[in-house]
Amino acid sequence: MADQADLGRVLSVLREWDRGDGTVRSRMLSTFLTRSAGRTVHELELEFAQVASLFLARLTTWMRLTYMFGTYLGMQLKAIGIFLSASSHDQYLMEFLEDGGVLTLLDILGRSQSKEEEKTEALRLLLVVSNAGRKYKEIICESHGVKAVAECLSRSNTDEAQETAWALLESISHGNPKYQNQIYKGLIALMTCTSLKAQQLALHTLHTVQVKRGETHHSIVEPLLDMLRSLHLEVQDGGEMSTFKYIIYCG
């Protein structure tokens, strides 16, 4: 009887969600964020009477339909993050991906209307996806994620967004041999961007990828020569640049 009562309560909540407008849903999300932050899969399933996926599906669909307006986007991303960050989260992660979650997150990164904090939150979710394993990294790359994240890194104007984008590129670059060449070229392209911080961060990851790769692509030479001519000593003094100097002078 207790299980039936719990299920009835949850179905009532879902009906309220389905009938509610944005104001009602944002209030429900605010309550969810307060009560559910840091919960495990088991705890989320208890809260939703073993049908938490029904709420996640509604949440993902609502975000996909409204993210271009941005009204509730920050709250939507944080709520989805509770599901994706739960331990043993493969079930929720696959459901989110099947609902087009990765494509939506990548589109958020590319929209000039998206706020920096929204882009940062989207990057955090993509980082959770990438850290889940090789097949998830490949899904991001198949969706042209390397280009989207690299552009976000070069254009963002907050340290938090840039560092999260860099952490995502770092994650994608490890244990992802199928797309190693795409990642390598994306990092090289970042060498020509106007953001000094983006150049520094990309250089660190490029160094790691280059060491694993061994063979040097010809397109890396000109951007690195430009960086060697840079007046910014913090770019030239890194250990990564010492390695690239050796590559250029011996290549």
Side-chain angles (χ1 to χ4, degrees), residues 6-178:
D6 287 341
L7 181 58
R9 172 185 56 80
V10 171
L11 293 178
S12 176
V13 169
L14 295 178
R15 281 194 296 271
E16 182 183 1
W17 175 277
D18 292 340
R19 296 168 181 168
D21 58 10
T23 302
V24 171
R25 292 181 179 183
S26 67
R27 173 181 54 78
M28 295 174 72
L29 274 193
S30 181
T31 301
F32 173 71
L33 288 169
T34 302
R35 293 177 52 183
S36 303
R39 288 193 173 182
T40 64
V41 169
H42 177 67
E43 291 167 335
L44 288 170
E45 289 299 322
L46 281 178
E47 180 180 354
F48 286 95
Q50 308 305 317
V51 292
S53 293
L54 295 180
F55 182 62
L56 175 59
R58 284 165 165 79
L59 178 54
T60 304
T61 299
W62 187 39
M63 182 183 72
R64 195 174 68 245
L65 294 174
T66 63
Y67 73 91
M68 65 286 297
F69 306 115
T71 312
Y72 307 104
L73 182 55
M75 186 177 289
Q76 292 166 338
L77 291 167
K78 288 177 182 177
I80 290 171
I82 288 176
F83 284 98
L84 300 193
S85 299
S87 58
S88 305
H89 59 280
D90 274 7
Q91 174 189 343
Y92 298 146
L93 187 52
M94 286 307 301
E95 291 167 358
F96 178 69
L97 298 183
E98 288 168 1
D99 282 341
V102 164
L103 289 172
T104 301
L105 295 176
L106 291 172
D107 200 37
I108 290 168
L109 297 184
R111 289 179 62 82
S112 58
Q113 299 93 329
S114 298
K115 300 173 183 176
E116 285 292 301
E117 54 266 31
E118 293 166 349
K119 291 182 181 181
T120 303
E121 202 64 44
L123 287 164
R124 288 196 185 104
L125 294 187
L126 287 165
L127 183 57
V128 172
V129 174
S130 177
N131 286 342
R134 175 176 170 176
K135 68 178 180 180
Y136 298 104
K137 299 176 196 288
E138 291 180 351
I139 289 171
I140 294 173
C141 292
E142 287 165 4
S143 306
H144 307 289
V146 174
K147 181 180 179 181
V149 177
E151 288 179 351
C152 186
L153 172 57
S154 68
R155 295 173 182 173
S156 292
N157 50 36
T158 66
D159 288 347
E160 189 175 18
Q162 286 191 308
E163 287 167 7
T164 309
W166 169 63
L168 178 53
L169 286 175
E170 273 277 296
S171 175
I172 293 172
S173 72
H174 294 291
N176 188 12
K178 182 177 179 181

